[in-house]
Amino acid sequence: LLSTHDLPRIRYNATNDTLWRTMSWTKYWDKVTWILPIHRPSPCGHWVMCTIDVVSHRLFLFDSFTEERPWKQDIQVRPF
């Protein structure tokens, strides 16, 4: 499970030492599947879940509000 807790540190240019100290214990790079909670602040603010298959380079997104506000415009797809 990846935490979005450290994303503000990344956004505001935290040092690599700071990021390593707060994230190294997760050892996420050793896992083949990552689970990433994502907060969508607008229009009503809710959480979605992205499961990342590292081996196949695929994302699986669960959004209970997807019919009300599609998310496809939020991501960029890059072929490998």
Side-chain angles (χ1 to χ4, degrees):
L1 177 65
L2 295 176
S3 172
T4 55
H5 176 76
D6 288 304
L7 290 180
R9 287 188 179 108
I10 294 167
R11 182 176 183 169
Y12 296 109
N13 300 316
T15 66
N16 287 340
D17 290 338
T18 299
L19 294 173
W20 181 252
R21 186 176 61 253
T22 60
M23 295 173 24
S24 64
W25 64 273
T26 65
K27 296 191 180 186
Y28 70 87
W29 55 88
D30 289 336
K31 312 298 192 273
V32 296
T33 303
W34 300 348
I35 300 172
L36 178 64
I38 302 168
H39 185 254
R40 299 196 68 202
S42 62
C44 61
H46 74 282
W47 288 87
V48 300
M49 182 186 76
C50 182
T51 303
I52 303 158
D53 184 329
V54 176
V55 176
S56 70
H57 301 123
R58 295 190 318 171
L59 304 175
F60 301 94
L61 186 71
F62 175 76
D63 183 348
S64 60
F65 291 162
T66 193
E67 295 297 323
E68 296 175 25
R69 185 171 179 260
W71 51 266
K72 290 183 180 180
Q73 73 276 4
D74 293 344
I75 63 171
Q76 292 180 333
V77 176
R78 181 176 60 100
F80 285 91

Coordinates of all heavy atoms in Angstrom, one line a residue:
L1 N 0.9 -1.2 0.0 CA 0.0 0.0 0.0 C 0.9 1.2 0.0 O 1.7 1.4 0.9 CB -0.9 0.0 1.2 CG -1.8 1.2 1.4 CD1 -2.9 1.2 0.3 CD2 -2.5 1.0 2.8
L2 N 0.7 2.1 -1.0 CA 1.5 3.3 -1.1 C 0.7 4.4 -0.4 O -0.5 4.5 -0.6 CB 1.8 3.7 -2.5 CG 2.7 2.8 -3.3 CD1 2.7 3.2 -4.8 CD2 4.0 2.7 -2.7
S3 N 1.3 5.3 0.3 CA 0.7 6.4 0.9 C 0.9 7.7 0.1 O 2.0 7.9 -0.4 CB 1.2 6.6 2.3 OG 0.7 7.7 2.9
T4 N -0.2 8.5 0.0 CA 0.0 9.8 -0.6 C 0.5 10.8 0.4 O 0.6 12.0 0.0 CB -1.3 10.2 -1.2 OG1 -2.4 10.2 -0.2 CG2 -1.7 9.3 -2.4
H5 N 0.8 10.4 1.6 CA 1.2 11.3 2.6 C 2.5 12.1 2.2 O 2.6 13.2 2.6 CB 1.5 10.5 3.9 CG 2.1 11.3 5.0 ND1 1.3 12.1 5.8 CD2 3.3 11.4 5.5 CE1 2.1 12.7 6.7 NE2 3.3 12.3 6.5
D6 N 3.4 11.4 1.5 CA 4.6 12.1 1.1 C 4.6 12.9 -0.2 O 5.5 13.5 -0.5 CB 5.7 11.0 1.0 CG 6.1 10.5 2.4 OD1 6.5 11.4 3.2 OD2 6.1 9.3 2.6
L7 N 3.4 12.8 -0.9 CA 3.4 13.6 -2.1 C 3.6 15.1 -2.0 O 4.3 15.7 -2.8 CB 2.0 13.3 -2.8 CG 1.9 11.9 -3.4 CD1 0.5 11.8 -4.1 CD2 3.0 11.6 -4.4
P8 N 3.1 15.7 -0.9 CA 3.4 17.2 -0.7 C 4.9 17.4 -0.5 O 5.4 18.4 -1.0 CB 2.6 17.5 0.6 CG 1.5 16.6 0.6 CD 2.0 15.3 0.1
R9 N 5.6 16.5 0.1 CA 7.0 16.6 0.2 C 7.7 16.6 -1.1 O 8.6 17.4 -1.4 CB 7.6 15.5 1.1 CG 7.3 15.7 2.6 CD 8.1 14.6 3.3 NE 7.8 14.7 4.8 CZ 7.0 13.9 5.4 NH1 6.5 12.8 4.9 NH2 6.8 14.1 6.7
I10 N 7.2 15.7 -2.0 CA 7.8 15.6 -3.3 C 7.5 16.9 -4.1 O 8.3 17.5 -4.8 CB 7.2 14.4 -4.1 CG1 7.8 13.1 -3.4 CG2 7.6 14.4 -5.5 CD1 7.1 11.8 -3.8
R11 N 6.2 17.3 -4.0 CA 5.8 18.6 -4.8 C 6.6 19.8 -4.4 O 6.9 20.6 -5.2 CB 4.3 18.8 -4.5 CG 3.8 20.0 -5.3 CD 2.4 20.2 -5.1 NE 1.9 21.3 -5.9 CZ 0.7 21.6 -6.2 NH1 -0.3 20.9 -5.7 NH2 0.4 22.6 -6.9
Y12 N 7.0 19.9 -3.1 CA 7.7 21.1 -2.6 C 9.2 20.8 -2.4 O 9.8 21.4 -1.6 CB 7.0 21.6 -1.3 CG 5.6 22.1 -1.6 CD1 4.5 21.4 -1.1 CD2 5.4 23.2 -2.4 CE1 3.2 21.8 -1.4 CE2 4.1 23.6 -2.7 CZ 3.0 22.9 -2.2 OH 1.8 23.3 -2.5
N13 N 9.7 19.9 -3.3 CA 11.1 19.7 -3.4 C 11.8 19.2 -2.2 O 12.9 19.7 -1.9 CB 11.8 20.9 -4.0 CG 11.2 21.3 -5.4 OD1 11.0 20.4 -6.2 ND2 10.9 22.5 -5.6
A14 N 11.3 18.2 -1.5 CA 12.0 17.7 -0.3 C 13.3 17.0 -0.8 O 13.3 16.5 -2.0 CB 11.1 16.7 0.4
T15 N 14.3 16.9 0.0 CA 15.5 16.3 -0.4 C 15.3 14.8 -0.5 O 14.4 14.2 0.1 CB 16.6 16.6 0.7 OG1 16.3 15.9 1.9 CG2 16.8 18.1 0.9
N16 N 16.2 14.2 -1.3 CA 16.1 12.7 -1.4 C 16.3 12.0 0.0 O 15.7 11.0 0.2 CB 17.2 12.2 -2.4 CG 16.9 12.6 -3.8 OD1 15.7 12.8 -4.1 ND2 17.9 12.6 -4.7
D17 N 17.2 12.6 0.8 CA 17.4 12.0 2.2 C 16.1 12.0 3.0 O 15.7 11.0 3.6 CB 18.4 12.8 2.9 CG 19.8 12.5 2.4 OD1 20.0 11.5 1.7 OD2 20.7 13.4 2.6
T18 N 15.3 13.1 2.9 CA 14.0 13.2 3.6 C 13.1 12.2 3.1 O 12.4 11.5 3.8 CB 13.5 14.6 3.5 OG1 14.4 15.5 4.1 CG2 12.1 14.7 4.2
L19 N 12.9 12.1 1.7 CA 12.0 11.1 1.1 C 12.4 9.7 1.5 O 11.6 8.9 1.8 CB 12.0 11.3 -0.4 CG 11.4 12.6 -0.8 CD1 11.5 12.8 -2.3 CD2 9.9 12.7 -0.4
W20 N 13.7 9.4 1.4 CA 14.1 8.0 1.7 C 13.8 7.7 3.2 O 13.4 6.6 3.5 CB 15.6 7.9 1.4 CG 16.1 6.5 1.7 CD1 16.9 6.1 2.8 CD2 15.8 5.4 1.0 NE1 17.2 4.8 2.7 CE2 16.5 4.3 1.6 CE3 15.1 5.1 -0.2 CZ2 16.4 3.0 1.1 CZ3 15.0 3.8 -0.6 CH2 15.7 2.8 0.0
R21 N 14.1 8.6 4.1 CA 13.8 8.4 5.5 C 12.3 8.1 5.8 O 12.0 7.2 6.6 CB 14.3 9.6 6.3 CG 14.2 9.4 7.8 CD 14.8 10.6 8.6 NE 14.0 11.8 8.4 CZ 14.5 12.8 7.7 NH1 15.7 12.8 7.2 NH2 13.8 13.9 7.5
T22 N 11.4 8.7 5.1 CA 10.0 8.6 5.3 C 9.4 7.4 4.5 O 8.3 6.9 4.9 CB 9.2 9.9 5.1 OG1 9.4 10.2 3.7 CG2 9.7 11.0 6.0
M23 N 10.0 7.0 3.5 CA 9.4 6.0 2.6 C 10.2 4.7 2.5 O 9.6 3.7 2.0 CB 9.2 6.6 1.2 CG 8.3 7.7 1.2 SD 8.1 8.7 -0.4 CE 8.6 7.6 -1.7
S24 N 11.4 4.6 2.9 CA 12.2 3.4 2.7 C 11.7 2.2 3.4 O 11.8 1.0 2.9 CB 13.7 3.6 3.1 OG 13.7 3.9 4.5
W25 N 11.0 2.3 4.5 CA 10.5 1.2 5.3 C 9.4 0.4 4.5 O 9.2 -0.8 4.8 CB 10.0 1.6 6.6 CG 8.8 2.5 6.5 CD1 8.8 3.9 6.4 CD2 7.4 2.1 6.5 NE1 7.5 4.4 6.3 CE2 6.6 3.3 6.3 CE3 6.8 0.9 6.6 CZ2 5.2 3.3 6.3 CZ3 5.4 0.9 6.5 CH2 4.6 2.1 6.3
T26 N 8.8 1.1 3.5 CA 7.7 0.4 2.8 C 8.2 -0.7 1.8 O 7.5 -1.6 1.5 CB 6.9 1.4 2.0 OG1 7.7 2.0 1.0 CG2 6.3 2.5 2.8
K27 N 9.4 -0.4 1.3 CA 10.0 -1.3 0.3 C 9.1 -1.6 -0.9 O 9.0 -2.7 -1.4 CB 10.5 -2.6 0.9 CG 11.6 -2.4 1.9 CD 12.3 -3.7 2.4 CE 13.4 -3.3 3.3 NZ 14.2 -4.5 3.7
Y28 N 8.3 -0.6 -1.3 CA 7.3 -0.8 -2.3 C 7.9 -1.3 -3.6 O 7.3 -1.9 -4.4 CB 6.5 0.5 -2.5 CG 7.3 1.6 -3.1 CD1 7.4 1.7 -4.5 CD2 7.9 2.6 -2.4 CE1 8.1 2.8 -5.1 CE2 8.6 3.6 -2.9 CZ 8.7 3.7 -4.3 OH 9.4 4.7 -4.8
W29 N 9.2 -0.9 -3.9 CA 9.8 -1.3 -5.1 C 10.0 -2.8 -5.3 O 10.3 -3.3 -6.4 CB 11.2 -0.6 -5.3 CG 12.1 -0.8 -4.1 CD1 12.9 -1.8 -3.9 CD2 12.1 0.0 -2.9 NE1 13.6 -1.7 -2.7 CE2 13.1 -0.6 -2.1 CE3 11.5 1.1 -2.5 CZ2 13.4 -0.1 -0.8 CZ3 11.8 1.6 -1.2 CH2 12.8 1.0 -0.4
D30 N 9.9 -3.5 -4.2 CA 10.0 -5.0 -4.2 C 8.7 -5.7 -4.5 O 8.7 -6.9 -4.7 CB 10.5 -5.5 -2.9 CG 12.0 -5.2 -2.6 OD1 12.7 -5.0 -3.6 OD2 12.3 -5.2 -1.4
K31 N 7.6 -5.0 -4.6 CA 6.3 -5.6 -4.7 C 5.9 -5.5 -6.2 O 6.3 -4.7 -7.0 CB 5.3 -4.8 -3.9 CG 5.6 -4.5 -2.5 CD 5.8 -5.7 -1.7 CE 6.0 -5.4 -0.2 NZ 7.2 -5.1 0.3
V32 N 5.1 -6.5 -6.6 CA 4.6 -6.6 -8.0 C 3.3 -5.9 -8.1 O 2.8 -5.6 -9.3 CB 4.5 -8.1 -8.5 CG1 5.9 -8.7 -8.6 CG2 3.6 -8.9 -7.7
T33 N 2.6 -5.7 -7.0 CA 1.3 -5.0 -7.1 C 1.3 -3.9 -6.0 O 1.7 -4.1 -4.9 CB 0.1 -5.9 -6.7 OG1 0.1 -7.0 -7.7 CG2 -1.2 -5.2 -6.8
W34 N 0.9 -2.7 -6.5 CA 0.9 -1.5 -5.6 C -0.6 -1.1 -5.5 O -1.3 -1.1 -6.4 CB 1.7 -0.3 -6.1 CG 3.1 -0.6 -6.3 CD1 3.9 -1.7 -5.9 CD2 4.1 0.2 -7.0 NE1 5.2 -1.5 -6.3 CE2 5.3 -0.4 -7.0 CE3 3.9 1.4 -7.7 CZ2 6.5 0.2 -7.6 CZ3 5.0 2.0 -8.3 CH2 6.3 1.4 -8.2
I35 N -1.0 -0.7 -4.3 CA -2.3 -0.1 -4.1 C -2.1 1.3 -3.7 O -1.5 1.6 -2.7 CB -3.1 -0.9 -3.0 CG1 -3.2 -2.3 -3.4 CG2 -4.4 -0.2 -2.7 CD1 -3.8 -3.2 -2.4
L36 N -2.7 2.2 -4.5 CA -2.5 3.7 -4.3 C -3.9 4.4 -4.0 O -4.7 4.5 -5.0 CB -1.8 4.3 -5.5 CG -1.6 5.8 -5.5 CD1 -0.6 6.2 -4.3 CD2 -1.0 6.2 -6.8
P37 N -4.1 4.8 -2.8 CA -5.4 5.6 -2.6 C -5.1 7.0 -3.2 O -4.1 7.6 -3.0 CB -5.5 5.6 -1.1 CG -4.2 5.4 -0.6 CD -3.4 4.6 -1.6
I38 N -6.1 7.6 -3.8 CA -6.0 8.9 -4.4 C -7.2 9.7 -4.0 O -8.4 9.3 -4.2 CB -6.0 8.8 -6.0 CG1 -4.9 7.9 -6.5 CG2 -6.0 10.2 -6.6 CD1 -4.9 7.5 -7.9
H39 N -7.0 10.9 -3.5 CA -8.1 11.8 -3.1 C -8.4 12.7 -4.2 O -7.5 13.4 -4.8 CB -7.7 12.6 -1.9 CG -8.8 13.4 -1.4 ND1 -8.9 14.8 -1.6 CD2 -10.0 13.1 -0.7 CE1 -10.0 15.2 -1.0 NE2 -10.7 14.2 -0.5
R40 N -9.7 12.7 -4.6 CA -10.1 13.6 -5.7 C -10.9 14.7 -5.0 O -12.0 14.5 -4.5 CB -11.0 12.8 -6.6 CG -10.2 11.7 -7.3 CD -10.9 11.2 -8.5 NE -10.9 12.2 -9.5 CZ -11.7 12.3 -10.6 NH1 -12.6 11.3 -10.7 NH2 -11.6 13.2 -11.5
P41 N -10.4 15.9 -4.9 CA -11.0 17.0 -4.1 C -12.2 17.6 -4.7 O -13.0 18.2 -3.9 CB -9.8 18.0 -4.0 CG -9.0 17.8 -5.1 CD -9.1 16.3 -5.5
S42 N -12.4 17.6 -6.0 CA -13.6 18.3 -6.5 C -14.4 17.3 -7.3 O -13.9 16.3 -7.9 CB -13.2 19.5 -7.3 OG -12.4 19.0 -8.5
P43 N -15.7 17.5 -7.5 CA -16.5 18.6 -6.9 C -16.9 18.3 -5.5 O -17.2 19.2 -4.7 CB -17.7 18.7 -7.8 CG -17.9 17.3 -8.4 CD -16.5 16.7 -8.4
C44 N -17.0 17.0 -5.1 CA -17.5 16.7 -3.8 C -16.5 16.1 -2.8 O -16.7 16.0 -1.7 CB -18.7 15.8 -3.9 SG -18.3 14.2 -4.6
G45 N -15.3 15.8 -3.3 CA -14.3 15.2 -2.5 C -14.5 13.8 -2.1 O -15.4 13.5 -1.3
H46 N -13.8 12.9 -2.7 CA -13.9 11.5 -2.3 C -12.6 10.8 -2.7 O -11.7 11.3 -3.4 CB -15.1 10.8 -3.0 CG -15.0 10.6 -4.5 ND1 -15.1 11.6 -5.4 CD2 -14.7 9.4 -5.2 CE1 -14.9 11.1 -6.6 NE2 -14.7 9.8 -6.5
W47 N -12.5 9.5 -2.3 CA -11.3 8.7 -2.5 C -11.6 7.7 -3.6 O -12.7 7.1 -3.7 CB -10.9 8.0 -1.2 CG -10.3 8.9 -0.2 CD1 -11.0 9.7 0.7 CD2 -8.9 9.3 -0.1 NE1 -10.1 10.4 1.4 CE2 -8.9 10.2 1.0 CE3 -7.8 8.9 -0.7 CZ2 -7.7 10.8 1.4 CZ3 -6.6 9.5 -0.3 CH2 -6.5 10.4 0.8
V48 N -10.6 7.5 -4.4 CA -10.6 6.4 -5.4 C -9.4 5.5 -5.1 O -8.5 5.9 -4.4 CB -10.5 6.9 -6.9 CG1 -11.7 7.8 -7.1 CG2 -9.3 7.7 -7.2
M49 N -9.4 4.3 -5.7 CA -8.3 3.4 -5.4 C -7.7 2.9 -6.8 O -8.5 2.5 -7.7 CB -8.8 2.1 -4.7 CG -7.7 1.2 -4.4 SD -8.2 -0.4 -3.7 CE -8.9 -1.2 -5.1
C50 N -6.4 3.0 -6.9 CA -5.7 2.6 -8.0 C -4.8 1.4 -7.6 O -4.0 1.5 -6.7 CB -4.9 3.7 -8.6 SG -4.0 3.2 -10.1
T51 N -5.1 0.3 -8.3 CA -4.2 -0.9 -8.2 C -3.2 -0.9 -9.4 O -3.7 -0.8 -10.5 CB -5.0 -2.2 -8.1 OG1 -5.9 -2.1 -7.0 CG2 -4.1 -3.4 -7.9
I52 N -2.0 -1.0 -9.1 CA -0.9 -0.9 -10.1 C -0.3 -2.3 -10.3 O 0.3 -2.8 -9.3 CB 0.1 0.2 -9.8 CG1 -0.6 1.5 -9.5 CG2 1.2 0.3 -10.8 CD1 0.2 2.5 -8.7
D53 N -0.3 -2.8 -11.5 CA 0.3 -4.1 -11.7 C 1.7 -3.7 -12.4 O 1.7 -3.3 -13.6 CB -0.5 -5.0 -12.7 CG 0.1 -6.3 -13.0 OD1 1.4 -6.4 -12.9 OD2 -0.6 -7.3 -13.2
V54 N 2.7 -3.8 -11.6 CA 4.1 -3.3 -12.0 C 4.6 -4.2 -13.2 O 5.1 -3.6 -14.2 CB 5.1 -3.4 -10.9 CG1 6.4 -3.0 -11.3 CG2 4.6 -2.4 -9.7
V55 N 4.3 -5.5 -13.2 CA 4.9 -6.4 -14.2 C 4.2 -6.1 -15.6 O 4.9 -6.0 -16.6 CB 4.7 -7.8 -13.8 CG1 5.1 -8.8 -14.9 CG2 5.4 -8.1 -12.5
S56 N 2.9 -5.9 -15.6 CA 2.2 -5.7 -16.9 C 2.1 -4.3 -17.3 O 1.5 -3.9 -18.3 CB 0.9 -6.4 -16.9 OG 0.0 -5.7 -16.0
H57 N 2.5 -3.4 -16.4 CA 2.3 -1.9 -16.6 C 0.9 -1.5 -16.8 O 0.6 -0.7 -17.6 CB 3.2 -1.4 -17.8 CG 4.6 -1.7 -17.6 ND1 5.3 -2.4 -18.5 CD2 5.5 -1.4 -16.7 CE1 6.6 -2.5 -18.2 NE2 6.7 -1.9 -17.0
R58 N 0.0 -2.1 -15.9 CA -1.4 -1.8 -16.1 C -1.9 -1.1 -14.8 O -1.5 -1.4 -13.7 CB -2.2 -3.0 -16.4 CG -1.9 -3.6 -17.7 CD -2.8 -4.7 -18.2 NE -3.2 -5.6 -17.2 CZ -4.1 -6.5 -17.3 NH1 -4.8 -6.6 -18.5 NH2 -4.4 -7.4 -16.4
L59 N -2.9 -0.2 -14.9 CA -3.5 0.5 -13.8 C -5.0 0.0 -13.8 O -5.6 -0.1 -14.8 CB -3.5 2.0 -14.0 CG -2.2 2.7 -14.2 CD1 -2.4 4.1 -14.5 CD2 -1.3 2.5 -13.0
F60 N -5.5 -0.3 -12.6 CA -6.9 -0.6 -12.4 C -7.4 0.4 -11.4 O -7.0 0.5 -10.3 CB -7.0 -2.0 -11.8 CG -6.4 -3.0 -12.7 CD1 -5.2 -3.5 -12.5 CD2 -7.2 -3.6 -13.8 CE1 -4.6 -4.5 -13.3 CE2 -6.6 -4.5 -14.6 CZ -5.4 -5.0 -14.4
L61 N -8.4 1.2 -11.8 CA -8.9 2.3 -11.0 C -10.3 2.0 -10.6 O -11.2 1.6 -11.4 CB -8.9 3.6 -11.8 CG -9.3 4.8 -11.0 CD1 -8.2 5.2 -10.0 CD2 -9.6 6.0 -11.9
F62 N -10.6 2.1 -9.3 CA -12.0 1.9 -8.8 C -12.4 3.3 -8.3 O -11.8 3.9 -7.4 CB -12.0 0.9 -7.7 CG -13.4 0.9 -7.1 CD1 -14.4 0.2 -7.7 CD2 -13.7 1.5 -5.9 CE1 -15.7 0.2 -7.2 CE2 -14.9 1.5 -5.3 CZ -16.0 0.8 -6.0
D63 N -13.5 3.7 -8.9 CA -14.1 5.0 -8.5 C -15.6 4.8 -8.4 O -16.3 4.6 -9.5 CB -13.7 6.1 -9.5 CG -14.2 7.5 -9.2 OD1 -15.1 7.6 -8.3 OD2 -13.8 8.4 -9.8
S64 N -16.2 4.9 -7.3 CA -17.6 4.7 -7.1 C -18.4 5.8 -7.8 O -19.6 5.6 -8.0 CB -18.0 4.5 -5.6 OG -17.6 5.7 -4.9
F65 N -17.8 6.9 -8.1 CA -18.6 8.0 -8.7 C -18.3 8.1 -10.2 O -18.6 9.1 -10.8 CB -18.2 9.3 -8.1 CG -18.7 9.5 -6.7 CD1 -18.2 10.5 -5.9 CD2 -19.7 8.7 -6.2 CE1 -18.6 10.7 -4.6 CE2 -20.2 8.9 -4.9 CZ -19.6 9.9 -4.1
T66 N -17.7 7.1 -10.8 CA -17.2 7.2 -12.2 C -18.3 7.6 -13.2 O -18.0 8.2 -14.2 CB -16.5 5.9 -12.6 OG1 -15.8 6.2 -13.8 CG2 -17.4 4.8 -12.9
E67 N -19.5 7.1 -12.9 CA -20.6 7.5 -13.8 C -21.0 9.0 -13.8 O -21.4 9.5 -14.7 CB -21.8 6.6 -13.5 CG -21.6 5.1 -13.8 CD -21.4 4.8 -15.3 OE1 -21.9 5.5 -16.1 OE2 -20.5 3.9 -15.5
E68 N -20.7 9.6 -12.6 CA -21.1 11.0 -12.4 C -20.0 11.9 -12.9 O -20.3 13.0 -13.4 CB -21.3 11.2 -10.9 CG -22.5 10.5 -10.4 CD -22.7 10.6 -8.9 OE1 -22.3 11.7 -8.4 OE2 -23.3 9.8 -8.3
R69 N -18.8 11.5 -12.8 CA -17.7 12.4 -13.2 C -16.5 11.5 -13.7 O -15.7 11.0 -13.0 CB -17.2 13.2 -12.1 CG -16.1 14.2 -12.5 CD -15.8 15.2 -11.4 NE -14.8 16.1 -11.8 CZ -13.5 16.0 -11.5 NH1 -13.1 15.0 -10.8 NH2 -12.6 16.9 -12.0
P70 N -16.5 11.2 -15.0 CA -15.4 10.3 -15.6 C -14.0 10.9 -15.3 O -13.8 12.1 -15.2 CB -15.7 10.4 -17.1 CG -17.1 10.8 -17.2 CD -17.4 11.7 -16.0
W71 N -13.1 10.0 -15.1 CA -11.7 10.3 -14.7 C -10.7 10.2 -15.9 O -9.6 10.6 -15.7 CB -11.2 9.3 -13.6 CG -11.5 7.9 -14.0 CD1 -12.5 7.1 -13.7 CD2 -10.6 7.1 -14.8 NE1 -12.4 5.9 -14.2 CE2 -11.2 5.8 -14.9 CE3 -9.4 7.3 -15.4 CZ2 -10.7 4.8 -15.6 CZ3 -8.8 6.2 -16.1 CH2 -9.5 5.0 -16.2
K72 N -11.1 9.7 -17.0 CA -10.2 9.5 -18.1 C -9.4 10.7 -18.5 O -8.3 10.7 -18.9 CB -10.9 8.9 -19.3 CG -11.3 7.4 -19.0 CD -11.9 6.8 -20.2 CE -12.3 5.4 -19.9 NZ -12.9 4.7 -21.0
Q73 N -10.0 11.9 -18.4 CA -9.3 13.1 -18.8 C -8.2 13.5 -17.7 O -7.4 14.3 -18.0 CB -10.3 14.3 -18.9 CG -10.9 14.8 -17.6 CD -12.1 14.0 -17.1 OE1 -12.5 13.1 -17.7 NE2 -12.6 14.5 -16.0
D74 N -8.2 12.8 -16.6 CA -7.2 13.1 -15.5 C -5.9 12.4 -15.7 O -4.9 12.7 -15.0 CB -7.8 12.7 -14.2 CG -9.0 13.5 -13.7 OD1 -9.2 14.6 -14.3 OD2 -9.7 13.1 -12.8
I75 N -5.8 11.4 -16.6 CA -4.6 10.7 -16.7 C -4.1 10.8 -18.2 O -4.8 10.9 -19.1 CB -4.7 9.2 -16.3 CG1 -5.7 8.5 -17.2 CG2 -5.1 9.1 -14.9 CD1 -5.8 7.0 -17.0
Q76 N -2.8 10.6 -18.3 CA -2.1 10.5 -19.6 C -1.7 9.1 -19.8 O -1.1 8.5 -18.9 CB -0.9 11.5 -19.7 CG -1.3 12.9 -19.7 CD -0.1 13.8 -19.8 OE1 1.0 13.4 -19.4 NE2 -0.2 15.0 -20.3
V77 N -1.9 8.6 -21.0 CA -1.5 7.2 -21.3 C -0.3 7.3 -22.2 O -0.4 8.0 -23.2 CB -2.7 6.4 -21.9 CG1 -2.3 5.0 -22.3 CG2 -3.9 6.4 -21.0
R78 N 0.7 6.5 -21.9 CA 1.9 6.5 -22.7 C 2.2 5.0 -23.1 O 2.3 4.2 -22.2 CB 3.1 7.0 -21.9 CG 4.4 7.1 -22.7 CD 5.5 7.7 -21.9 NE 5.7 7.0 -20.6 CZ 6.7 6.2 -20.4 NH1 7.5 5.9 -21.4 NH2 6.9 5.6 -19.3
P79 N 2.2 4.7 -24.3 CA 2.5 3.3 -24.7 C 3.9 2.9 -24.4 O 4.8 3.8 -24.4 CB 2.2 3.3 -26.2 CG 2.4 4.7 -26.7 CD 2.0 5.6 -25.5
F80 N 4.1 1.7 -24.1 CA 5.5 1.2 -23.8 C 6.1 0.5 -25.0 O 5.5 -0.1 -25.8 CB 5.5 0.2 -22.7 CG 5.3 0.8 -21.4 CD1 4.0 1.0 -20.8 CD2 6.4 1.3 -20.6 CE1 3.8 1.7 -19.6 CE2 6.2 1.9 -19.4 CZ 4.9 2.1 -18.9

